[in-house]
Amino acid sequence: MPDDDPGFFTGRLAILGLGLIGGSLAMALQGKCAALLGIDPDPQTVELARQQHIVDLAAVDPADLLPQADVIVLAAPVNAIIDLLHELPRLHHGSPIVIDLGSTKAKIMQTMQLLPERFDPLGGHPMCGKEVSGLANADARLFQGAPFAFTASPRTTPHARRFAEWLAASIGARPLWIDAATHDRWVSATSHLPYLAANALAYITPMETAPLAGPGFRSTTRLAVSPPDLMMDVLMTNQAAVLDSLRSFREHLEWIERLLAQGEFDALENLLGEGARRKQILSQSIQQGKVS
């Protein structure tokens, strides 16, 4: 990022994976890089990227474009990112910055450590998304005001850190530096458990109740339609933390059930009030973070 124009990246940036997140990133970075290179295994996605001029060059085969890249962004499901990391030394013989956008960090960061020393790796995770996936649903505004978690490894250079800060600023996100274990523990509570709770609620709701399903039900079950194949990658690579969150959630539901069954309505009201108070505190913290 040159000093005379800190908003423009003079290098070539390749995005592997042009789905919702990768496609939105490409849209948000248009005009801010010397070249945007897009790679996706789906020919129809590549054709759509070309037709809509989302990237400067697009290809199905990483070998066609990846060697040109100064920065490689891995915007794929977690296990696909891990596979791509194993392939990178064969695909790129230079010294690029490598950043992933995976939803969990520990296993990805472990794999990044196996890259040859010539690579400059950095973990990343923009905390945003939609219930729908695919390039057709991409939106350049997706990252506006969202936290962008970055996880540095012992070998991450100051150059890669500066790029991360530039990337977040360029798309309107808020950078948050965090270690992999803490990241995975936090997102198990704020992202992965909410998905499972929404999915479970949708599963147990009798179909005949649909005429009385109002906005509360719709908002509570919104995450249930997230693609299961993508969520399986998340659950498989964050199993221990998700199990801890599920255990806490189940214990709290059992507490509510016990108070209700025993008719301890004053205690139940106090417990529900404490939940409402904590939600308000969380909301205030989120709002403060958005403007910080």
Side-chain angles (χ1 to χ4, degrees):
M1 290 65 72
D3 294 334
D4 58 341
D5 187 1
F8 186 81
F9 177 53
T10 58
R12 292 156 296 186
L13 188 148
I15 301 174
L16 275 77
L18 293 175
L20 174 67
I21 299 299
S24 296
L25 181 64
M27 291 177 177
L29 289 176
Q30 286 177 348
K32 299 175 183 178
C33 301
L36 275 174
L37 315 176
I39 302 163
D40 195 278
D42 178 29
Q44 292 183 337
T45 296
V46 169
E47 183 58 30
L48 180 62
R50 288 172 176 158
Q51 290 176 356
Q52 297 189 0
H53 306 288
I54 292 173
V55 292
D56 298 308
L57 295 172
V60 172
D61 188 348
D64 291 342
L65 295 179
L66 207 61
Q68 306 176 32
D70 301 296
V71 173
I72 298 171
V73 179
L74 305 177
V78 175
N79 284 326
I81 288 172
I82 291 172
D83 290 340
L84 286 167
L85 286 169
H86 288 301
E87 290 293 312
L88 280 187
R90 178 183 65 82
L91 294 168
H92 200 299
H93 300 290
S95 303
I97 293 173
V98 177
I99 180 170
D100 83 281
L101 305 183
S103 299
T104 62
K105 294 271 72 74
K107 291 192 175 181
I108 288 175
M109 296 306 295
Q110 292 169 7
T111 308
M112 279 187 170
Q113 287 298 100
L114 302 177
L115 287 171
E117 287 297 321
R118 56 190 173 84
F119 288 92
D120 195 352
L122 173 72
H125 180 203
M127 295 300 300
C128 57
K130 301 179 181 180
E131 307 86 63
V132 291
S133 59
L135 182 58
N137 297 298
D139 184 350
R141 301 165 296 178
L142 188 67
F143 309 96
Q144 288 290 327
F148 199 139
F150 292 112
T151 300
S153 76
R155 53 188 282 191
T156 301
T157 67
H159 176 58
R161 285 178 175 269
R162 288 193 299 272
F163 173 81
E165 295 282 345
W166 171 86
L167 180 63
S170 296
I171 61 177
R174 297 181 289 110
L176 172 65
W177 293 90
I178 188 171
D179 67 90
T182 301
H183 170 277
D184 288 359
R185 187 172 70 253
W186 287 4
V187 294
S188 74
T190 62
S191 180
H192 308 159
L193 177 61
Y195 162 73
L196 291 174
N199 192 280
L201 179 57
Y203 185 90
I204 65 152
T205 301
M207 292 298 174
E208 62 266 24
T209 64
L212 288 182
F217 178 82
R218 292 195 297 272
S219 62
T220 304
T221 56
R222 179 178 62 85
L223 294 176
V225 297
S226 300
D229 56 336
L230 299 181
M231 293 309 302
M232 283 305 303
D233 264 21
V234 168
L235 299 175
M236 291 167 61
T237 56
N238 201 22
Q239 183 181 21
V242 173
L243 285 172
D244 285 342
S245 291
L246 276 170
R247 192 174 300 111
S248 296
F249 189 52
R250 183 176 63 252
E251 290 172 355
H252 190 76
L253 287 177
E254 289 172 351
W255 189 4
I256 292 173
E257 181 182 9
R258 184 167 60 252
L259 292 176
L260 183 60
Q262 295 173 354
E264 299 183 30
F265 298 120
D266 289 342
L268 178 57
E269 183 178 5
N270 290 335
L271 182 61
L272 297 176
E274 179 62 16
R277 187 185 71 85
R278 291 182 178 224
K279 169 59 169 69
Q280 291 175 339
I281 294 173
L282 284 167
S283 295
Q284 290 170 0
S285 298
I286 293 169
Q287 290 300 323
Q288 290 168 1
K290 283 186 177 180
V291 298
S292 63

